[in-house]
Amino acid sequence: MNEMTSSAGRQPSQVRKRPLLPPKFVQAMLAGHSALGLAFAALIYIVCLTGTLSVFLHDFHRWEQPDAPLASGPIKTEAIAEATRAGHAQAVADNVAQDLFLFLPSALSPRFLVTYFNDAGKEGEWVADNDGRLVTRVVSPWSEFLAHLHMELHLPRTWGLFIVGLTGVALLSSLISGLLAHPRIFKDAFALRWGRSKRLQQADLHNRLGVWALPFHVVVSLTGALLGLATLIIGVLALAAYNGDSEKAFATILGPRAAVTEEPAPVPDVAPMVASVQSKAPNAELVAVHYQRIATSGQHVNLTMRTPGHLAFGNTYYFDGNGKPLGDGGLEVGGIGQQILGVLQPLHFGWFGGLGTKVIYALLGLAMTIVTQTGVAIWLSRRRDKGLPAEKWERLWSAVTWGQPLALAACAFASLFIGEELLVVVYLAVTLATLVLAAGVREAATVRRAFQGLSAVALAAVAVLHFNRWHGLASDPASAWIDGSLLLAALLFALLAFQPNGEATRNQAAKAAL
Amino acid sequence: MIIAGTPQATRSAALCRDQKDRGTRLAADLREVQSQGNVPIHTPSMTLLVICAIALIVAGVLLLRASWRGARRHNLIVAFGWLFIAASFVVMSHTMSAERAAAYGILAVSLAAYAIVAISSEVRKPNSRSSAQLSLEPEARPTNWKRAIAKSLLAIVLAGVAAIGIGVAFAVAMPMGPHDRIVIGALLVPILWGGGMAWTLADAKLGRATLILLAISALSYAIAFLPKVLAA
């Protein structure tokens, strides 16, 4: 809901005589921008808010189980072999032996993780110690809930991915139309005017936050849309060029797939494979190991190995069950398409650096969330300025804006007691309750304050309860700094709740001035 | 399938151990750097270069501000502003790879601009002047439910069909390696879909947009499926 606000307070002589874009074109773009923003506002807001939190997904995993071991040094080849053996044995015991992943500790997460899954969707995840022994099963209902909400909205996977992908497209489209509806983009690039009118204030915030982080917004929405729509696009491509076989189409870009067979075979050791990669790329470090169809004669091993200086997690090197090299994915230094594939996820989530990068991504993600929030708020203010206040929609938007942090905080609180499946019920119940309560209140400001206050209480309760549960038991520092961050967030929400109603103050001051 | 605890599993583990010995050189052993992951190694000179790069970004953004906020726009100052920002990327690329420098440089420009906008924000006295008079309004258009549904179908369905058609046609027909044409083709889809959405929602003439999108869809799917049809 972009607005051209620059002429505010300027003399006619100062106003640009020949605008960069014709006013008629700008008005048409504004109309399209408003319609699209309003249609997708709630979805974009939820995806942006959960995306901002998802930047810290690995840290939330650690916070939920702060007694799980962290890697205390380099992982040796013996530990990799032991983790493979133990992980496979556990997968067999759980009746999920098909694909096995080992994730070695990195800047992203200092844990040594062993994960297994099968085509039926069953999976298991363990934290291993430095010797590769499985220590504890990963239990992280909040992190899993958050990830599935951001990526699939807890809908059936195919539909969820498509709707989130479509939301990414809508966001990208809003960026395009917003840019074209902003002819004084340079002149107004530094204008941030508080206090005059709510609409001008919101428009300035919307435009400044949107414009100055435009490359970030474009990259995140584009990569998100692509990740969400990949199944649909590849499905159509498969119809056109792969006889409808999507697996084959995916294999073209994701590398060779293991043959499906039940014939047993020994699990190959990765050490010679790592050595063979390092003979060509001496700086390459092992990041992850993926055994496809483990312990069968058709098995494959994919090694993810990173060389310094790239944004990608690493390059993937393919080996058959006998350790014979089958090529690599070129994700670091291959063709442009391969390199794009390599950076999609790291660029989307900000997972190409350490904690500092994640904090920057979270700040810019929060900016994107505020841009979405202020977009609808501008439309509502415009209605009010025209003497056509949409009070019901004002309350509803307040309920979405401030009810979602409350719903997420309530889920984090509930996750201390219940599993992921029930968290969806808690989320839906709180979301529904916020909307119903908002319908029964007279003013949007009351809705805002109530949910800000409740969010503050919920966040503080999560921090206190988590600290109380893990005090003296937690060995992971993530436990303390996330509890501290939750308390800070609670304080911020409390301050917002006790902030005077800006619009009422403005109206009173305006009346007094008259 | 190997069952845990069976002779097969034991043999498998033994094989792993034998092979492991042959690969001992490799990891010396998966060096310590591994646990540090992507975190670059810092030296005082690198820290200094990063500080210089940040200073260049701040100076560049301040120059842009000086020109754009002034009564007259000075192109030379604007050029120097962008030049400083570009120079910061070059300086940063001496402390890390070019691709990482570009990523961090873009993030740093956003943060620096946010900070400067926040610091230089103005607090004005409230007045009674309606902000409706201060800004350009969206185009007023007559609308109804039928038109809204038609627009939604155009922007979401037809623009999507056309965008996927172009992306798939690119992935099938472009003379590039399979990775390049498939990934670039896929990347084109959200860009074109987003652009199509923006255009169809802004264009008041529904018939024109429908015809153009139908023509694009027909052409792109013909290109995408023609090889298959000819081969059949």
Side-chain angles (χ1 to χ4, degrees):
Chain A
M1 255 108 309
N2 210 333
E3 287 228 329
M4 197 180 86
T5 55
S6 58
S7 52
R10 293 187 197 285
Q11 296 303 312
S13 61
Q14 286 179 288
V15 177
R16 179 191 280 270
K17 283 177 185 166
R18 279 191 308 129
L20 198 66
L21 296 166
K24 194 81 184 159
F25 175 83
V26 172
Q27 285 182 306
M29 273 296 157
L30 271 176
H33 187 68
S34 295
L36 185 65
L38 290 174
F40 280 90
L43 270 178
I44 294 176
Y45 182 79
I46 292 169
V47 171
C48 285
L49 182 64
T50 53
T52 301
L53 293 171
S54 295
V55 169
F56 299 107
L57 214 46
H58 295 92
D59 308 283
F60 284 133
H61 271 281
R62 292 167 55 192
W63 172 76
E64 289 191 83
Q65 250 178 324
D67 60 340
L70 301 179
S72 56
I75 301 297
K76 297 187 188 314
T77 47
E78 291 87 344
I80 291 172
E82 171 57 23
T84 303
R85 188 205 60 74
H88 179 235
Q90 188 62 49
V92 170
D94 289 354
N95 203 20
V96 195
Q98 182 189 298
D99 280 28
L100 179 77
F101 271 101
L102 308 181
F103 295 101
L104 274 66
S106 69
L108 203 54
S109 171
R111 282 178 169 181
F112 183 13
L113 291 167
V114 178
T115 305
Y116 44 85
F117 64 86
N118 65 11
D119 286 341
K122 288 187 174 177
E123 58 187 7
E125 189 169 19
W126 290 74
V127 184
D129 64 13
N130 259 48
D131 298 323
R133 287 183 300 243
L134 305 190
V135 177
T136 180
R137 201 182 276 273
V138 172
V139 182
S140 49
W142 156 249
S143 309
E144 294 294 328
F145 165 80
L146 180 67
H148 287 136
L149 183 60
H150 178 64
M151 291 188 274
E152 301 153 18
L153 298 171
H154 285 281
L155 295 170
R157 190 173 168 76
T158 311
W159 281 103
L161 282 172
F162 172 71
I163 290 173
V164 172
L166 184 61
T167 306
V169 172
L171 182 55
L172 194 60
S173 181
S174 299
L175 295 171
I176 296 168
S177 55
L179 203 62
L180 292 172
H182 198 354
R184 295 173 65 95
I185 185 169
F186 300 120
K187 194 75 186 165
D188 284 350
F190 294 93
L192 184 57
R193 293 154 290 193
W194 299 103
R196 184 165 207 167
S197 84
K198 191 177 178 186
R199 183 169 153 199
L200 180 65
Q201 188 173 299
Q202 286 163 337
D204 274 353
L205 195 61
H206 182 79
N207 294 341
R208 298 306 83 77
L209 290 178
V211 166
W212 277 112
L214 193 64
F216 170 84
H217 300 326
V218 169
V219 165
V220 169
S221 56
L222 180 59
T223 50
L226 188 56
L227 289 167
L229 296 174
T231 311
L232 175 67
I233 298 166
I234 294 293
V236 179
L237 175 65
L239 284 175
Y242 296 90
N243 292 321
D245 188 347
S246 291
E247 277 291 307
K248 206 171 164 186
F250 268 119
T252 307
I253 50 172
L254 297 181
R257 312 291 299 166
V260 180
T261 165
E262 292 298 313
E263 188 187 343
V267 178
D269 184 18
V270 297
M273 302 178 202
V274 174
S276 103
V277 173
Q278 286 182 332
S279 67
K280 291 168 194 153
N283 289 335
E285 305 148 9
L286 188 65
V287 176
V289 184
H290 174 198
Y291 299 90
Q292 292 181 39
R293 305 273 166 191
I294 188 168
T296 66
S297 59
Q299 68 189 325
H300 278 184
V301 180
N302 297 349
L303 300 184
T304 303
M305 296 188 68
R306 177 176 48 222
T307 48
H310 297 287
L311 294 172
F313 291 135
N315 189 14
T316 309
Y317 297 87
Y318 313 117
F319 295 87
D320 70 8
N322 298 315
K324 183 185 160 197
L326 301 173
D328 70 276
L331 303 180
E332 288 182 333
V333 289
I336 182 73
Q338 292 169 312
Q339 290 197 47
I340 290 171
L341 205 58
V343 299
L344 277 182
Q345 217 185 26
L347 275 185
H348 184 73
F349 286 102
W351 290 345
F352 54 86
L355 186 61
T357 310
K358 288 192 244 184
V359 170
I360 294 172
Y361 253 68
L363 286 174
L364 296 179
L366 186 64
M368 206 194 296
T369 313
I370 295 171
V371 170
T372 311
Q373 194 278 332
T374 48
V376 178
I378 291 167
W379 180 80
L380 292 167
S381 295
R382 188 187 294 138
R383 293 271 313 225
R384 198 165 267 281
D385 283 347
K386 284 180 177 172
L388 301 164
E391 288 175 350
K392 192 169 70 181
W393 289 106
E394 284 175 359
R395 294 197 302 271
L396 197 67
W397 186 238
S398 247
V400 172
T401 301
W402 300 107
Q404 282 306 297
L406 175 61
L408 293 174
C411 287
F413 183 82
S415 74
L416 298 171
F417 308 100
I418 58 177
E420 190 201 343
E421 297 78 16
L422 288 174
L423 289 186
V424 181
V425 178
V426 173
Y427 173 76
L428 289 175
V430 177
T431 299
L432 194 66
T434 55
L435 297 175
V436 171
L437 281 172
V441 177
R442 284 187 65 186
E443 283 191 21
T446 313
V447 175
R448 172 181 67 78
R449 279 185 178 174
F451 294 154
Q452 284 169 342
L454 286 171
S455 297
V457 172
L459 286 167
V462 175
V464 170
L465 213 66
H466 183 271
F467 178 80
N468 186 48
R469 173 178 288 188
W470 292 105
H471 180 60
L473 300 170
S475 53
D476 193 328
S479 176
W481 72 255
I482 292 184
D483 281 343
S485 303
L486 286 171
L487 282 177
L488 270 178
L491 185 66
L492 188 68
F493 272 96
L495 288 173
L496 286 172
F498 287 108
Q499 199 187 33
N501 185 357
E503 187 64 8
T505 314
R506 249 189 306 276
N507 290 341
Q508 280 168 10
K511 279 176 192 164
L514 285 171
Chain B
M1 286 285 180
I2 292 182
I3 308 299
T6 62
Q8 277 177 337
T10 315
R11 199 162 54 242
S12 164
L15 267 169
C16 280
R17 275 195 295 276
D18 291 345
Q19 288 180 329
K20 177 183 65 203
D21 293 336
R22 290 199 296 274
T24 37
R25 264 188 318 113
L26 70 96
D29 250 319
L30 304 173
R31 304 182 327 241
E32 191 163 351
V33 177
Q34 200 174 69
S35 64
Q36 297 169 357
N38 268 321
V39 177
I41 299 159
H42 295 289
T43 63
S45 61
M46 283 168 76
T47 308
L48 196 66
L49 281 174
V50 170
I51 292 169
C52 282
I54 292 169
L56 279 169
I57 286 173
V58 172
V61 175
L62 283 172
L63 282 175
L64 294 178
R65 184 182 182 279
S67 173
W68 291 340
R69 290 293 277 166
R72 283 185 59 205
R73 183 170 165 176
H74 301 278
N75 289 337
L76 195 65
I77 297 178
V78 173
F80 268 104
W82 288 118
L83 197 69
F84 275 37
I85 290 170
S88 76
F89 283 42
V90 176
V91 171
M92 215 180 284
S93 68
H94 282 81
T95 67
M96 58 186 85
S97 69
E99 66 185 86
R100 293 178 78 82
Y104 282 117
I106 287 169
L107 294 176
V109 171
S110 298
L111 289 182
Y114 278 180
I116 289 168
V117 168
I119 290 167
S120 59
S121 64
E122 305 166 41
V123 179
R124 293 182 172 187
K125 280 185 184 171
N127 69 7
S128 59
R129 197 176 162 197
S130 165
S131 54
Q133 300 163 344
L134 307 177
S135 58
L136 211 54
E137 290 289 317
E139 192 177 57
R141 295 170 180 169
T143 191
N144 53 47
W145 278 108
K146 282 182 190 168
R147 199 173 163 81
I149 290 169
K151 277 237 160 195
S152 306
L153 286 174
L154 259 183
I156 297 171
V157 181
L158 201 49
V161 168
I164 292 173
I166 296 172
V168 171
F170 189 100
V172 169
M174 284 305 281
M176 300 167 124
H179 276 93
D180 292 349
R181 55 187 162 83
I182 292 175
V183 175
I184 295 172
L187 201 62
L188 281 175
V189 173
I191 297 170
L192 294 171
W193 197 343
M197 259 187 195
W199 165 55
T200 49
L201 289 173
D203 194 346
K205 294 177 180 169
L206 294 186
R208 175 173 65 185
T210 309
L211 281 177
I212 292 174
L213 286 175
L214 281 175
I216 291 172
S217 300
L219 185 66
S220 58
Y221 284 94
I223 293 170
F225 283 85
L226 200 61
K228 188 181 176 183
V229 172
L230 290 176

